[in-house]
Amino acid sequence: MKTVTASQEVPFPSGVTVSVASRIVTVTGPRGSITKDFKHIQMEMSVVEATTDEEGNTVDGYVKVDLWFALRKQLACLRTTCSHIANMITGVTCGFLYKMRFVYSHFPINVTLNGKTVEIRNFLGEKRVRKVELLDGVDYERSSDVKDQIELRGNDLTNVSLMAAKIQQMTNIRHKDLRKFLDGIYVSEKGAMDPPEDQ
């Protein structure tokens, strides 16, 4: 059965500007700008700017997403789209951090950054060099205080999480007993970074 209308709002704080043009959403904040295209979803998007109420308090602006005569699967897209926009807002204010740890029983995994390419060597003692290209807006860093750990940072959650997944999938074990061979590079911690002190 079709739902006549469904709408959801995504608030954004002061210091962040959101613009919508033909379902292309651009979010700009202290850490930079992110643009995403939602043209493949038939819905109406509008931006309501921040206002001041009768008592003089500032009311945050919000992005309003409306969906008309939607079926069940189309209704699910409403929440998904709002989650994407909320993650964009978090990204330009705080940013996202993924921490990955090396797991090995005998052969130490060696990971280096060569230009824009992450190179994984000595995985299970293999001579093959596994290479993963860094995605746009993702920063790679080797942890100085923790042994065998790398950190991936960025504003766009899609790119940061995809980069972590690509590195993890590069160390998939094949043709061996997965209960015994647990070597690999795995995500140990993930989430939004702490916002800057001046905010």
Side-chain angles (χ1 to χ4, degrees), residues 31 34 36 87-88 90-92 94-100 118 132-141 150-168 186-187 189-193:
R31 289 178 56 89
I34 302 175
K36 277 194 191 300
N87 286 334
M88 291 164 69
T90 305
V92 298
C94 303
F96 291 97
L97 169 65
Y98 272 59
K99 293 182 181 179
M100 305 187 76
V118 178
V132 189
E133 290 290 327
L134 269 181
L135 297 174
D136 291 337
V138 180
D139 296 325
Y140 167 97
E141 186 184 342
I150 59 174
E151 297 178 3
L152 302 172
R153 289 185 175 83
N155 296 347
D156 193 347
L157 178 61
T158 306
N159 282 1
V160 178
S161 57
L162 181 59
M163 192 68 227
K166 283 186 169 187
I167 291 174
Q168 181 171 331
Y186 301 102
V187 174
E189 194 179 325
K190 63 183 179 179
M193 292 189 286

Side-chain angles (χ1 to χ4, degrees), residues 52-139:
T52 307
D53 60 10
E54 298 169 356
E55 299 174 1
N57 299 323
T58 303
V59 180
D60 285 342
Y62 58 88
V63 180
K64 189 176 183 187
V65 183
D66 296 306
L67 200 55
W68 305 87
F69 302 106
L71 294 170
R72 190 159 172 259
K73 287 197 173 180
Q74 292 166 323
L75 280 174
C77 295
L78 181 69
R79 176 68 187 269
T80 302
T81 304
C82 291
S83 296
H84 276 302
I85 297 171
N87 286 334
M88 291 164 69
I89 293 167
T90 305
V92 298
T93 51
C94 303
F96 291 97
L97 169 65
Y98 272 59
K99 293 182 181 179
M100 305 187 76
R101 295 291 299 270
F102 308 163
V103 177
Y104 52 86
S105 58
H106 186 271
F107 295 103
I109 301 172
N110 181 16
V111 180
T112 56
L113 183 67
N114 185 8
K116 294 284 285 182
T117 306
V118 178
E119 296 181 348
I120 303 167
R121 287 184 169 84
N122 202 36
F123 177 67
L124 292 178
E126 295 176 6
K127 296 293 183 188
R128 178 189 158 205
V129 179
R130 292 163 165 80
K131 297 180 180 180
V132 189
E133 290 290 327
L134 269 181
L135 297 174
D136 291 337
V138 180
D139 296 325

